Amino acid sequence: GKTAQRWSIPLDISNAEIVTSEGLSHVYIVARYDNSILQLSKEGKITKRYKSNKFNSLKNIWVNERENKLAVLNNFLVYEIEL
């Protein structure tokens, strides 16, 4: 069977953007310390990590779980990612 993948990432949220709402089933963190986006369950477990060589100055994200999309503002460019 499949085993759950675990990440050990130091969470420095002092300069992070945290995105969630009642309509979202996850919490999203823009982790600027390593230019990645973390998807967490609402219980606090990291479920996915999005990272790219193109992410060098993350500004903001927009999440649409119904359409399974994540829009990422990096500098002045917007990237669209499948969740």
Side-chain angles (χ1 to χ4, degrees), residues 49-66:
R49 182 175 182 225
Y50 302 93
K51 190 157 175 70
S52 169
N53 291 337
K54 295 177 182 178
F55 296 169
N56 57 13
S57 184
L58 293 175
K59 303 293 185 194
N60 207 343
I61 62 170
W62 298 270
V63 181
N64 186 333
E65 288 183 336
R66 272 182 283 198

Side-chain angles (χ1 to χ4, degrees), residues 24-79:
L24 294 174
S25 59
H26 293 89
V27 175
Y28 296 85
I29 298 178
V30 180
R32 293 189 178 101
Y33 65 90
D34 75 344
N35 286 305
S36 69
I37 298 141
L38 304 174
Q39 179 190 66
L40 286 78
S41 68
K42 290 209 173 171
E43 292 75 36
K45 293 185 181 183
I46 297 172
T47 54
K48 287 187 182 175
R49 182 175 182 225
Y50 302 93
K51 190 157 175 70
S52 169
N53 291 337
K54 295 177 182 178
F55 296 169
N56 57 13
S57 184
L58 293 175
K59 303 293 185 194
N60 207 343
I61 62 170
W62 298 270
V63 181
N64 186 333
E65 288 183 336
R66 272 182 283 198
E67 293 186 18
N68 215 30
K69 295 186 191 268
L70 171 68
V72 179
L73 176 61
N74 182 78
N75 282 330
F76 301 105
L77 295 174
V78 176
Y79 297 96

